[in-house]
Amino acid sequence: LTYGYKALRKDGNVVDVEVHDAVTTFKGRPAIIGSLVDNTERKRYVEALQDSEERYRQLFEHSPDMLFLISAKTGTFIAMNPAVTQQLGYAPYDVLGKSPWDISPEFQPNGRRSKEVAQELMVGQAGAPAKRFEWIHKRKDGSLADCEVSLIGYRFHGEDLIQAIVRDVTDR
């Protein structure tokens, strides 16, 4: 059996303790074997890790820029922040599982197909320097948005991912 509680050390400090005990027999009689582990530092580490995760989640959720996470393997969106809905009008179910060219006009201003250009930009991005470029996205209502895009590739748990930071610069 394992459980935790707070214990008072000889020096008067309170510590988080994890107790491990088991029932056994000793010299033919029932006995309990137990051990105590001071988990104070481990608990502080876990709390700090949770705080860090929450801080980064808040940054993602509250960024005024549109943030997308793209699987480099499939070229599809696997995460997006609320700014995408606010600025382009797409709900997560409209975007997740689709590709950047699915929310772009068929052609970019240079006359090239959005799909072709996007695929070229995403190839080999993991570990490569960030790329910054201009892009036209199509809002859900069909209107166009001039955007500035930064692509940053990285590896996470063995998977190549691409983070796209997208800023609507239509008003400029």
Side-chain angles (χ1 to χ4, degrees):
L1 183 63
T2 301
Y3 53 94
Y5 72 94
K6 295 202 179 288
L8 186 62
R9 289 191 340 201
K10 281 184 180 181
D11 64 8
N13 288 320
V14 176
V15 294
D16 290 297
V17 177
E18 188 173 275
V19 179
H20 301 270
D21 59 23
V23 177
T24 188
T25 54
F26 180 71
K27 295 184 180 181
R29 297 181 58 191
I32 296 176
I33 297 175
S35 65
L36 302 175
V37 177
D38 181 347
N39 268 346
T40 306
E41 288 304 312
R42 184 176 149 283
K43 189 172 180 181
R44 280 189 201 136
Y45 175 77
V46 168
E47 288 171 356
L49 191 60
Q50 290 169 338
D51 286 348
S52 176
E53 190 278 332
E54 176 64 17
R55 205 171 18 258
Y56 281 99
R57 189 182 69 73
Q58 291 291 330
L59 283 170
F60 182 82
E61 295 292 323
H62 294 96
S63 172
D65 291 328
M66 293 175 274
L67 303 176
F68 295 94
L69 193 56
I70 303 167
S71 165
K73 181 178 180 180
T74 63
T76 57
F77 296 115
I78 59 175
M80 63 179 244
N81 72 342
V84 176
T85 301
Q86 294 161 1
Q87 296 178 41
L88 296 180
Y90 294 107
Y93 60 81
D94 293 322
V95 173
L96 300 180
K98 297 197 174 139
S99 299
W101 51 89
D102 293 322
I103 60 169
S104 301
E106 185 175 357
F107 295 95
Q108 289 297 305
N110 63 7
R112 295 185 63 205
R113 291 190 183 279
S114 293
K115 180 177 181 177
E116 176 186 315
V117 177
Q119 287 174 328
E120 285 176 10
L121 289 165
M122 290 190 298
V123 168
Q125 189 57 40
K131 293 178 184 172
R132 177 175 266 143
F133 54 92
E134 292 186 4
W135 189 261
I136 305 293
H137 272 299
K138 183 173 56 178
R139 294 184 183 95
K140 188 170 183 176
D141 68 9
S143 63
L144 300 179
D146 293 312
C147 297
E148 180 181 270
V149 178
S150 293
L151 294 183
I152 303 115
Y154 61 96
R155 198 160 181 74
F156 184 71
H157 291 302
E159 183 179 3
D160 289 334
L161 300 173
I162 300 168
Q163 177 184 342
I165 302 169
V166 181
R167 180 171 289 159
D168 185 341
V169 295
T170 304
D171 292 340
R172 275 198 262 166

